[in-house]
Each structure stands twice: as C-alpha cells, then as structure tokens.
Amino acid sequence: MQQSEILNKITQKFPKIEETKCLEGSFKDYTLAIQVNADEILPICEFLKTNEELCFDSLMCLSGVDLKDYMKVVYHLYSYKHNHKLTINVVLNHDNSVVNSVSRIWKTANWHEREVYDLLGIKFEGHPDLRRILLPQDWVGHPLRKDYVHTPDQYD
Amino acid sequence: MGIILDKLPYVTEKIPGGKIILTSADYFINWSRSSSLWPLTFGLACCAIEMMCAYASRFDFDRFGVFPRPTPRQADVMLVAGTITKKMASRIKLLYEQMPEPKFVISMGSCSNTGGPFYDSYSVVKGIDKVIPVDVYVAGCPPRPENLMYAVIKLQEKIKKASLCNKVKS
C-alpha cells in the first residue's frame, strides 16, 4: 500500500491525525510518520493492528527521546503481510510523561517500554510489570533525561 | 613444562631402584602454583573475545597451565576481561570471594583498568580495583593475546617470588 493510501485510511477513521513532515523533504527510504496525542494511542494502535488493509502486525521498535523542551515516544510499525511501514510520534511533557501501554497489542512492547521507563522515566499506564530492566533496582533517577544529575557513588 | 633442573635447588640421593630429589618447599609450591594458573571462565565485553582467542589453538594458553574452569571453587586467577557495570560489580566481588586462596586477579583492557572509553558513563565502574585487588594490569582496547600472555608470565614471576614465610608481595 502506498504511503498516501495509508494516511488516507487512518484519517478516515481518525480525522484529527496529521502527518509529521520531514525537514529535508522526502528521503529515498522515507517512511510515513504521524503525530498522535498521548490519550489516543491505544485506539489508534488497536485499529492499525486489526484493520485488514493496514495490518501492522509487528512493532519493530519502541523508543523514547528527550528533546530538552519536550519528550517523545516513537513507535516504528511494520506489516509482514503488506510490507509497509509507519512511524508514530507521541509528544509528552517532562512533568507529566505518562502514556498508555501498548504491550497488550504487541507483546514486544513489554520490554521496550520497561527500557524507556528505566532510562527516561516515561510511565506506561496499564503495563503489566513496569520495573527497571537494565539499571539496578535501587537506582535513583532516570539517566538519559536531560535534567539528570549524576551523583558519584563508591564506584566513581 | 617440566621442572627445570638447572634452576632448581636440589639434592639427589640414590636409593635402590632409582633416585630421590630433595628440594625446598617454597620452590616446589611456587612452581606448582605458577604453572597451573586456572582462570575463572567469564567475560564481560569484547576483551573476552581476545581472551577466548588466547585460550584457543594459535596462542594455546594451556601450555602455561592456563586452563579455564567453570566454577570459582576451582579457580586460582580471575581474568577480568571487559567493562564492569555497577550492576555487575557486586556479582564479580561475590565470585572473587568464592575463589579459594591463593587467588590472583588480572585486569584486562582499558575498561577494566580505568573505565576506559566509558569513563563518563553513569553506569560503569571506573576500574575493577575499586571492587577487588588487582595483581597485573594489561593495557589495550582490547589487548592482543600476546599482551595477555605477557601478563600471565608477569604473574608467574610474581608468584615465584613468594615464600611460605611471607605472603605474596606486589
């Protein structure tokens, strides 16, 4: 399916959604990116997975970004059935960085969300087991946040 | 590697059917310790690849008696090969404490010596000597197997200086 068709399909169901424009125009392997509000992520992901023509059955990557002014969660989706891709951006505030968990829809999201929580402190509501995954359990703070200040310990 | 008789302080005595060699306890114990340095099998990062290469046929550490053991109870030397994260530090300390005396540590590579390229990281220990005592440091990122071989030889030299009266001095 062409990228414009994918966008049409999504906007038919969710008219508020807009495409995130790429700064440098379109690259050779440019993939369609859409901007989604944090409270809408669950119904949209549910739709993207279950719709017959879209059928995004794989969450390739779930990542978190701290851009100093705001935070972002980025979902890279792929359809094995139709061989097309989609990127979803969710913009969050530093103070209230909470988004609904998609681990119910794609099992892959479970550990990815734990990693984003561990390093960036973004909370995923409805996650079955939101613990730290890489750092020690007693770690204080989230080190990849721009406002993180590291206090030296016995190993520094 | 047999006993090098030229360097051995020994006396031979003839008995019916052969000879008895009498030697010093220090020399004999040090010889046996230094020629069977069994390291603990574990690697932490890319240095472990060089370490495995050193055990394998081209460099063949078995000829020094360096032969990896899968349990700390049978190990004499700990080869710390790779980046030590703060989460791993306590586990390494536990493994070190489980090794029987006398025990030695070779710190292999920049990460293990000082933290290396991860010196500014929030999660990396700035040198394994903050956790356990180290006998030989090997520089390099990662060190070549020849470099590790030199470290083993240096450790053997150190062990040979030890005496039953004194503990090993660095």
Side-chain angles (χ1 to χ4, degrees):
Chain A
M1 199 188 274
Q2 290 298 309
Q3 295 189 347
S4 53
E5 291 175 74
I6 298 174
L7 188 65
N8 274 335
K9 201 86 201 160
I10 297 167
T11 44
Q12 271 172 26
K13 176 103 180 176
F14 301 94
K16 273 192 279 177
I17 282 176
E18 283 176 19
E19 186 183 355
T20 320
K21 283 288 177 202
C22 193
L23 286 174
E24 302 288 321
S26 51
F27 295 112
K28 194 179 162 196
D29 54 350
Y30 172 73
T31 50
L32 178 68
I34 56 168
Q35 179 109 14
V36 174
N37 285 330
D39 49 347
E40 284 180 320
I41 188 75
L42 263 185
I44 285 167
C45 287
E46 196 89 62
F47 168 72
L48 290 173
K49 194 186 179 185
T50 48
N51 186 283
E52 274 296 305
E53 283 166 90
L54 295 171
C55 193
F56 285 103
D57 46 9
S58 163
L59 177 67
M60 290 197 291
C61 185
L62 190 157
S63 32
V65 197
D66 189 348
L67 291 147
K68 209 160 192 181
D69 301 325
Y70 58 93
M71 289 173 114
K72 227 160 96 171
V73 181
V74 187
Y75 304 78
H76 288 95
L77 305 180
Y78 178 70
S79 170
Y80 277 98
K81 195 173 173 187
H82 304 299
N83 189 22
H84 55 213
K85 292 176 185 171
L86 176 70
T87 308
I88 304 175
N89 291 307
V90 176
V91 173
L92 300 167
N93 287 323
H94 274 98
D95 312 324
N96 186 30
S97 51
V98 183
V99 66
N100 278 317
S101 168
V102 294
S103 58
R104 201 150 53 76
I105 300 165
W106 297 286
K107 292 284 176 212
T108 322
N110 190 315
W111 280 22
H112 285 203
E113 284 175 350
R114 277 177 69 184
E115 188 184 343
V116 171
Y117 165 72
D118 192 358
L119 300 175
L120 283 161
I122 296 172
K123 287 183 185 68
F124 291 90
E125 244 168 38
H127 190 284
D129 183 26
L130 197 64
R131 280 181 297 134
R132 288 187 184 276
I133 190 167
L134 298 169
L135 294 168
Q137 296 298 325
D138 55 353
W139 193 276
V140 180
H142 302 282
L144 289 194
R145 284 177 93 107
K146 297 285 187 208
D147 55 1
Y148 176 77
V149 184
H150 180 62
T151 41
D153 55 16
Q154 54 171 326
Y155 300 124
D156 285 306
Chain B
M1 286 182 123
I3 301 176
I4 303 159
L5 288 172
D6 304 341
K7 290 181 185 171
L8 178 68
Y10 73 104
V11 187
T12 50
E13 245 176 70
K14 278 190 179 171
I15 53 160
K19 279 180 190 174
I20 291 179
I21 292 181
L22 294 172
T23 182
S24 84
D26 264 352
Y27 182 89
F28 188 72
I29 290 168
N30 288 343
W31 164 78
S32 58
R33 274 180 186 164
S34 64
S35 45
S36 68
L37 282 172
W38 289 357
L40 183 59
T41 312
F42 81 109
L44 299 172
C46 36
C47 275
I49 306 292
E50 292 301 292
M51 182 188 70
M52 286 183 261
C53 177
Y55 292 150
S57 51
R58 180 180 289 259
F59 296 96
D60 191 19
F61 269 28
D62 209 354
R63 66 204 155 109
F64 299 112
V66 176
F67 175 65
R69 303 303 301 168
T71 160
R73 318 272 175 211
Q74 299 172 355
D76 305 297
V77 55
M78 182 181 241
L79 262 165
V80 185
T83 319
I84 308 108
T85 57
K86 285 173 185 171
K87 203 173 180 180
M88 194 67 194
S90 58
R91 285 131 169 106
I92 290 180
K93 197 176 173 199
L94 181 70
L95 284 171
Y96 179 75
E97 282 162 357
Q98 285 175 338
M99 281 162 59
E101 294 273 1
K103 50 194 171 187
F104 307 95
V105 176
I106 295 176
S107 166
M108 184 188 180
S110 298
C111 293
S112 179
N113 294 341
T114 63
F118 308 107
Y119 190 81
D120 287 333
S121 171
Y122 51 87
S123 62
V124 173
V125 178
K126 314 287 183 280
I128 190 65
D129 48 8
K130 296 210 188 297
V131 188
I132 52 174
V134 178
D135 294 283
V136 185
Y137 295 90
V138 192
C141 188
R144 295 261 319 156
E146 290 96 324
N147 214 343
L148 187 60
M149 198 192 296
Y150 185 64
V152 171
I153 292 165
K154 277 284 166 197
L155 183 59
Q156 287 180 336
E157 281 174 17
K158 182 180 176 178
I159 293 165
K160 279 171 187 162
K161 282 179 200 156
S163 166
L164 282 179
C165 312
N166 309 311
K167 279 205 148 186
V168 180
K169 280 179 191 161
S170 50

